[in-house]
Amino acid sequence: MNFFKPKHFLFLLPLLLFVQGAMLASKVVRVGVYHNPPLSFVDDEGLPQGFVIDILSDIARTEGWILEFTPCEWNECLLALEDGEIDLLAPIAFSEERAERFDFSEETLITNWGQVYVQSGETDISILDLEGKKIALLEGDIHASVFQFTLEEFDIEAELLYFNEYDEVMHAIEAEVAFGGVVNHLFSMQHAHQYNAQQSSIIFNPIEVRFAATKGEHEALLSQLDSQVSIL
């Protein structure tokens, strides 16, 4: 027996159109996630976590966005954002050089800076003492770029070793593969105690951490982010 009558369809049609419209109205935002705790990371269950991820998730609920997270290593995240394979990346430090590659939010999420860690017992140093030493850096890191420029300005010759995560930088110091290394302050606050490495007196490059989007593609998206961040 057929219980589905035309009048039932006419009753359901507005509901079906509403659901379809709501689905079409939901904006899918592809977000790169890299290992930078406590700001962003992927937990043991494969779920994105961190301070910036929490902020973005709250904004997405308010704006009705669907977030699609893509785990990637830092340099891969930058290339994916530049190529439009992802729409958004955070946390990312703002710089004029990067602003030529990406569009940035106006609002700052948090401030951060670079910190040099060294082998235990070697903390009483200045940047001049890095002459001839092996220094571990994160590939594509803004602090790494500024650090390298600073070495050049002081005419200091050091052997620079590049890694894909801050964790690898700290392990290189701990294993004495490198004399020292550069990490950001927020990472060091949460994780430095896990490694046999010590904080030196060398700090540098205070920066503003923001959202970044593919160049010329997501002006409205960044505007919505700024609007929400400004009231947090």
Side-chain angles (χ1 to χ4, degrees), residues 137-174:
L137 303 174
L138 174 64
E139 182 76 39
D141 185 30
I142 191 169
H143 301 304
S145 297
V146 172
F147 181 79
Q148 183 176 2
F149 175 78
T150 303
L151 292 180
E152 292 170 356
E153 287 290 292
F154 282 91
D155 198 25
I156 297 170
E157 292 189 8
E159 183 177 348
L160 305 181
L161 311 176
Y162 288 92
F163 298 89
N164 291 319
E165 294 183 0
Y166 282 139
D167 174 69
E168 296 175 2
V169 169
M170 295 296 277
H171 275 304
I173 303 169
E174 186 176 50

Side-chain angles (χ1 to χ4, degrees), residues 27 63 65 103 213 216-227:
K27 179 177 179 62
E63 297 290 342
W65 300 339
D103 289 332
E217 296 294 329
H218 301 292
E219 182 178 348
L221 175 64
L222 290 174
S223 178
Q224 289 171 291
L225 286 168
D226 280 329
S227 177

Side-chain angles (χ1 to χ4, degrees), residues 47 54 93 117 138 165 184:
L47 299 175
D54 290 342
Y117 271 74
L138 174 64
E165 294 183 0
N184 72 46

